[in-house]
Amino acid sequence: MNARKGWQQRRSPLIGAMDQAAYADLLAAAPAPHTGAELAALVGLLTGPGKRIGTVAVGHSRDAPSRAAAEAFTAAWEARGGTVLAVVDWPESAASWLRPAVRLTETAPDAWVVAAAPLGFAQLARRLRHSTDWDPARTCAFAALGDHRLPALAGDGTLHGLRGATADGGTWEVHHDAVTGLPPAANTP
C-alpha cells in the first residue's frame, strides 16, 4: 500500500464545512412526520416477492419525527413476526460516527431500516462505508432521505442501492448519484 492510499483509508470521512454550506437548505430541513402509506411502502420493500428478510437493525436520528418513524416501523415489523436486532440513534453532528456505525452493523442483520435527517445520515453513511460491511443496497429508508441532493452530500457511490418510501406510498432508489422514484400505483402488484 502506498502512503497516499494508506492516508485515504485512515482519514476521517466527515463531511467538510464547505460541503455542509453548499447543502445548507437540505440540512436545515427537519424530517416530516411519517405517514401510514410511507410505512406500508417501506415494509413492502422488505417483504416483497423473493425477499427473505427476517432480521433488521433500525437506525434513526434523535429528532422527534425520526424517532417516531423508527418506533412505528419496529412495531409493524415485530407485528409481522420479524425480529429487530438493534435500534441505534445518533445526533445530527458528532466528532466521530464510528460508535453508531459499529452498533448498527455488529448484529449482522438481513437488512437495515433508517429514519433520519439528511446531514446525520450522510455523515453516518460515510462512516458505515468506510469502516463496516454495511451495504446500502440492503437498506431501506423513510421519505426524508429520498432527496436528490443526498447522494452528492454523502459522496460518490456511498448510497448506491439505497431504497426508500415516499410520504404518498411511492418508492425511490439511489443509482450512483441520482435518486429515481416510482409513484404508489407502480408499487402495487
Side-chain angles (χ1 to χ4, degrees):
M1 170 185 331
N2 66 35
R4 181 171 174 78
K5 184 168 178 107
W7 173 81
Q8 287 176 333
Q9 288 180 339
R10 288 187 307 272
R11 72 183 175 96
S12 171
L14 289 175
I15 296 171
M18 288 179 54
D19 284 335
Q20 288 188 38
Y23 294 95
D25 60 328
L26 173 64
L27 306 181
H34 73 281
T35 66
E38 180 180 359
L39 180 60
L42 188 65
V43 170
L45 285 170
L46 296 164
T47 60
K51 303 288 183 186
R52 292 179 178 230
I53 298 171
T55 62
V56 298
V58 178
H60 65 86
S61 298
R62 291 181 180 162
D63 58 86
S66 296
R67 180 176 279 119
E71 289 170 357
F73 174 81
T74 297
W77 190 252
E78 290 175 341
R80 293 182 57 85
T83 302
V84 175
L85 298 174
V87 177
V88 178
D89 66 7
W90 55 82
E92 274 307 283
S93 62
S96 172
W97 294 92
L98 187 57
R99 181 173 289 159
V102 168
R103 287 181 56 221
L104 198 58
T105 58
E106 69 187 348
T107 58
D110 297 330
W112 292 274
V113 174
V114 178
L119 177 60
F121 180 67
Q123 295 275 33
L124 179 65
R126 289 166 73 116
R127 177 51 74 185
L128 284 163
R129 291 292 273 184
H130 189 268
S131 304
T132 72
D133 63 353
W134 175 72
D135 182 359
R138 292 176 34 214
T139 306
C140 293
F142 281 85
L145 299 181
D147 191 285
H148 71 278
R149 298 166 291 178
L150 186 61
L153 178 64
D156 187 35
T158 301
L159 301 178
H160 178 68
L162 176 70
R163 298 170 299 143
T166 61
D168 65 357
T171 60
W172 53 266
E173 184 171 352
V174 176
H175 295 279
H176 300 287
D177 63 348
V179 177
T180 57
L182 292 173
N187 297 319
T188 57

